[in-house]
Each structure stands twice: as structure tokens, then as C-alpha cells.
Amino acid sequence: MKIGRTSIFRLVLATFTLGAAAISADLDLIGVTALRAKYPELNGSGQTVAVAEASVGSAWQVSPSTVGQPESLFRYYDSTHPYGGAGAGFIPALASGHAGLVGNHFFGATAGVSPGVAAVENFAADYFVLDVVARTTTVGSTTSWTPVGINPPIINQSFVFLTTDPEIVTEVSLAYDGYANRFGTLFINGANNGSSTFVYAPGSMYNGITVGTLSGNHSGGVHLVAPGTATSFATPYVSGVATLLRQAAELGHFEAMDGVDPTDARLLKAALLNGATKTEGWSQTETNPLDEVFGAGVVNAKSPHDMLSGGQHTASLQTLETPGSVPTTTTPANFLSATSGWDINTLSTAVSSDAVNHYFFDLSTSSNVAFTATVTWNSLTDVDLGINDISNFDLVLVDTLTGTILWSSHSTTENIEHIYLTGLSGSIFDVQVILRGDGGVVTDEYALVWSWTAVTTPVPESGVFWAIGLAGFLGLAIHTRRPRR
């Protein structure tokens, strides 16, 4: 691997005029207040989380007093206090104002999304990247990737790598994707600020979530947006919401079949995207399932919780089809009664066919229905061999009564497919998850989240889109999402 201390990029913060801590209006906007009104226990209790912070000068630690939490909640790790040991205590000289604002939005005692977390592991970002995620070990003439697994399953990264070297960006993304695959970690990454159309690492990784600002003043390629004076402070809102969903899953809010883990990072990612609130002017195409500026929309805590609360429902039917086709004449059977729900499932293609899981819904007596569905899956990585492949999943909605393909989400550059349609009239629908074989034999697992909603108010909610003033630097990066191969 090229990543090393002699060739390492500079880790930089999205450095901005630091604004006030999170306010209740933000928590209202992103659905935290509504979720907690129904489930007061959902405050992050029992969850261990992590923040990796780049240094401002030498400062990188979250100050416990800044976030209103006890020092006993925190452990700090860097090259002098490596993971696996006791870690360091808080050192006031290393307190970072940036880290404090990130922490306030994430787990601050009075204004955070997840104020009840059980523990926070705070990493110096350069140490975290080099000695945890991209760690290598050399034995003789062989150098192998040997990452260090850490306890927290959700990691906030409000920094970017300031590099224009495509090899390094690709290597960083590969290491992060491999790490997410191996340890089931969900990385929540800030995009770079400004109007660049490119994506800095680590936001360039496939198996994580990249966050932009509600104002839209960020680089392209984000998955979600959130309020905040910069991407650094929007990102921990998403991390906090992900923490609430994971806590809810552990409390049994999301009924799962035997052997299926509702805390799976792919499922949480799919739910966060599927439950996002659409901004005014939000749009998608069949090959670009997310809006170019706002991704899936504004993060929302209550909507994905409601969707996952519909429980797991396995596919109604599995078929093998002609490669590249979309079946429109399949006879519906085994209808799913849940208007919202999820599934984690596996498909396997044959050499000469695509594999399809069908989810049938009878909405023949319904009208003016909004439908949203999201499929996510992890890229298949071999860090030592430099392989980061994406299986070719499509997500399709078919009106079985007319044999019409209402929408086909078939991105060629992402491991996400997303459908958002409104104004659907009563019919019998076939939601298809298709794994394309592309001439070979492929087996892969996916997470699907869906929701059918009777629309009684205008969609999208135009009040969601509003501007926030930003000040900061404009950066350029050279990485765009790699095509499947």
C-alpha cells in the first residue's frame, strides 16, 4: 500500500468560523424531538461511539466540560496512547474547539442527538487512519493489511484528506471499505465544504455515509444533508441519529428473523437514506438515484425508526431471469401486508441469468400514495490485492396490473439504489431487487428498506429547504466514485 508516514496526505479540518452549539430547532428539524417524544429512552444509552479528529495545531481532544459530560465518559487514543491499552485521560492543552462543537452536536448533554451514550472513544485522526484503519505489518518481504478492530460500531469523521493524489485517495477509500466490511463499522464522513464537484477521502469510500450541509454549499457526492454551519457540524447530527437507531435495534424495536442482525450497518445506512426528508426541488434519475446536491435528503430520526419498526419481511418470490431484463408479467403471490419494513437477503446469479427477489404489495384500494425504497450493499474488497468491486444490484418498481415499469434505479457508480415516487394510484406492485450476473456467477447480500405512505400534505415539504450562512475554505479533490468493474 502507498499509504505511509512518508507519503501521507495532510489531514485537515473543514475550518470555519465556529458557530453556536446545536439548538433545539435543529433537533426539531431532523426529527429527534418527535422520536424522543414517543420513545424517551432513545438517547444513545448503552452505546459506545467514536470520533476521529484532525489536529488544530496540536489540539484534537473533545473537552468533557464543553459538551457537559463527565471525564470518565472519554478515552483518548493517539500514537503515544495506542488502542488496546488504557488510553489517555483528558489533557486541557489538547482541547479542540472544533472537536467540542462536533461533540456537542453528537452527544452533548444539553443539545446533542445522543446525550446518553455510555462511552466516547476519541482518536487523533492521523493515528486512526495510519495505525488503525490502514495499519500494515511486514513479515519478511510481504506487507499485509492488518487493521485494528475497535469497539465503537459508529464513527464520526469531521475531516477531509487534503490531497490531490489519486493513488492515495483510492488507497484510503479501499482501506476504509475493507475495514467496514471486516468489522461491520458504519463511518459517517463529512464532505468537503465549498462548491467543488469532487469528493475528498474519507467521504469517497463506498461503505459509509457522506454528509453535506442543508445549505447545499458542499462538494458533490453526498448521501445525506443536515443543518450546521459547516459539514463538520452537520456530520455528527447524522452520527447521532445512527446511534439512536442502533440503540432502538438493540432494544428490540425492529423485529427480525432468527439469525438476522437489525444493527447491521448496511441496514442502518439504508434506513437513514430511505427516511430522509426530501428538499424542495429534490430530483433523481434512473442512473443517478440521489440528488446531486442533497443526496437522499435531510436526515430524519423518526422516519427511519418508523420504517424499521415495520419489521423484517422476506421476499415474496425469487426468480431467475434473462440477463439485463426486468420481468413485468410475474404473477403476484405471497403479498406483504406491511406498508413499511425491511429485509436483509442474499441473491445468487447463474452464468446465464439474473437473480430477482420480488416483494409484492396489494394497494389496489389505495390512492395518492408515496413510495420510497432503498437498497444498500457493501463493496467487495481485498485490500492487499487492491480490489474494490461493486456487485450490480438494481431496484425496480413494477405495476403488475398494467405491466409497466414505473421506475428502475440502476446506478453504475454507487452501491446504493433509491426510488422516491409520489401520486401512485391503487394497484398491485412488485418491488424487485435484481442482482445482475453480467455473464458470471455472483453471490451478494443486500439490505432493503421500504415505505408506502398515504399523502395528505404536499410532497416534498417545501419548508425543509432553507439557507444557512457559511464561511470557510474552498477545497478541490480529484476523486469521483469509481465505476463497477
Side-chain angles (χ1 to χ4, degrees), residues 20-46:
I23 57 176
S24 59
D26 288 348
L27 301 186
D28 293 345
L29 179 66
I30 63 175
V32 173
T33 304
L35 178 65
R36 201 163 286 148
K38 187 173 182 180
Y39 302 100
E41 70 275 18
L42 293 183
N43 65 354
S45 177

Side-chain angles (χ1 to χ4, degrees), residues 177 180-181 203-210 223 266 269-270 273 289-290 374-381 388-394 409-418 444-447 481-484:
D177 284 330
N181 253 338
S204 52
M205 69 179 295
Y206 286 116
N207 302 338
I209 294 175
T210 303
H223 300 119
R266 295 164 299 183
K269 178 179 178 178
L273 270 61
L290 304 183
T374 304
V375 169
T376 61
W377 63 102
N378 278 355
S379 64
L380 304 175
T381 58
N388 203 7
D389 284 345
I390 302 179
S391 297
N392 189 355
F393 279 101
D394 291 344
S409 177
H410 49 270
S411 169
T412 59
T413 59
E414 280 277 13
N415 53 334
I416 296 167
E417 303 294 359
H418 181 68
D444 207 350
E445 192 173 47
Y446 65 87
R481 307 286 179 184
R482 291 184 300 277
R484 296 176 176 135

